[in-house]
Amino acid sequence: MSKLFTQANVGSVALDNRIVIAPMCQYSAEAGKATAWHRIHLGNLALSGAGLLIIEATAVEAQGRISPQDLGLWDDETQQALRVVLDDIRHYSPIKVGIQLGHAGRKASVSAPWLGGKQLSPEEGGWQTISASVMPYDPGERPPREMSQQDLQRVKQRFVDSARRAVALGIDVIEIHAAHGYLLHQFLSPLSNQRTDEYGGSLENRLRFTLEVFSAVREAVPSSVAVGIRISATDWVDGGWDLEQSAVLTKKIEAAGGDYVHVSSGGLSPLQSIKVSAGYQVPFAKALRQQTSMSVIAVGLITEPQHAEDILQHGEADLIALARGALYDPRWPWHAAAALHGAVHVAPQYRRAEPHGVKGTVK
């Protein structure tokens, strides 16, 4: 039997299979509120047959958006707009739904990628960014403001408030975004954290804010909701955040009640040097899986069903995530089921589409 199509548990959340649709920013919200695009986009992915669909990076406050068009979950209006999307999904799909909660920090206030992805001036609708230290992502950008103790407490509470809103929406999984150079990653990496207080300097200090945020969220939501973290296992820059430090963080997240770690890499510095190839991040997942009993999600150019299956069979990860691959082929789980003799939940409206040569791939 294909392991990819066996059931799995993430914390107390049971998944129908081990395929995860990873969070992917859409830059299509209005003042943080989900739009018709999200109903189309997430509705489409909800019919993919994957075991878990994680909603894109969702800002816990307006200042934490990457772009002015980022999705948010910080007030009643943003919560209600997302509820409309989730109600539609649940009417037609049994897929488990997660949400990634994040804050962009110094990488906030930029335009959408197809508009250049550059930092926006106040005249263009941009805003003052915040970070661990007064160091911009790119030397040519306006520097962020170093977060005060009051900022730290406010942002931590914003994560908690957004997590509670997610629970009220019936979200199954909450993922804390500490990867790709965004705010929590900015505290973790010595390249971006030059603080001299208890939140900077030593590894213990650089871990502090991320662990405080994670612990506060875990304590604020019921055990029936799985809570995990997404990390960049390395900055791909000498002297930066690396796998050894990621292992320490992973162990501490587990001790704080974490249910999984979603292993990506990079995004903190424009100096990163990455040699991209199929499954190039899987070795990080494998290394961290040896350090934890939490579920480990591997991601990064895993495009072929047999490759995904081999990763699981070799014990390198517990679940497989797709991002761009799912956009390119929203029926990837169904196609993988055909290739690996598995089966996925398919909407009855689509069951007639099952090819004659691969009967038995639908539930």
Side-chain angles (χ1 to χ4, degrees), residues 136-255:
Y137 171 74
D138 186 275
E141 295 179 345
R142 298 187 313 279
R145 176 174 59 80
E146 181 171 304
M147 292 176 68
S148 66
Q149 291 287 338
Q150 291 75 17
D151 291 324
L152 294 171
Q153 294 305 312
R154 185 195 75 253
V155 171
K156 180 170 68 174
Q157 187 61 47
R158 294 289 187 269
F159 271 93
V160 169
D161 293 344
S162 294
R164 287 173 172 156
R165 291 184 181 278
V167 172
L169 289 171
I171 294 289
D172 301 293
V173 175
I174 294 173
E175 180 169 285
I176 302 301
H177 198 1
H180 301 160
Y182 297 118
L183 182 63
L184 297 185
H185 188 179
Q186 291 160 30
F187 273 85
L188 294 173
S189 176
L191 298 178
S192 49
N193 186 344
Q194 299 294 311
R195 299 176 72 97
T196 57
D197 63 4
E198 67 269 32
Y199 291 95
S202 67
L203 175 59
E204 180 182 6
N205 285 357
R206 286 183 281 111
L207 294 175
R208 192 181 308 278
F209 187 51
T210 298
L211 291 173
E212 285 184 355
V213 168
F214 188 91
S215 297
V217 169
R218 177 68 279 181
E219 292 171 6
V221 304
S223 59
S224 58
V225 176
V227 181
I229 192 167
R230 192 169 200 188
I231 67 170
S232 284
T234 176
D235 289 338
W236 297 101
V237 180
D238 289 342
W241 182 256
D242 57 22
L243 182 59
E244 183 178 355
Q245 296 172 86
S246 293
V248 176
L249 173 60
T250 297
K251 291 176 182 177
K252 289 185 177 293
I253 289 294
E254 181 174 3

Side-chain angles (χ1 to χ4, degrees), residues 34-35 39 77-90 169:
T35 63
R39 290 195 295 278
E77 290 188 359
T78 53
Q79 182 176 334
Q80 178 56 31
L82 192 53
R83 182 181 297 281
V84 173
V85 175
L86 292 170
D87 285 349
D88 283 349
I89 287 174
R90 294 189 180 108
L169 289 171

Side-chain angles (χ1 to χ4, degrees), residues 93-116:
S93 172
I95 197 169
K96 294 294 194 300
V97 178
I99 192 168
Q100 185 185 71
L101 298 180
H103 192 297
R106 70 180 187 177
K107 291 183 77 174
S109 186
V110 301
S111 61
W114 56 85
L115 297 176

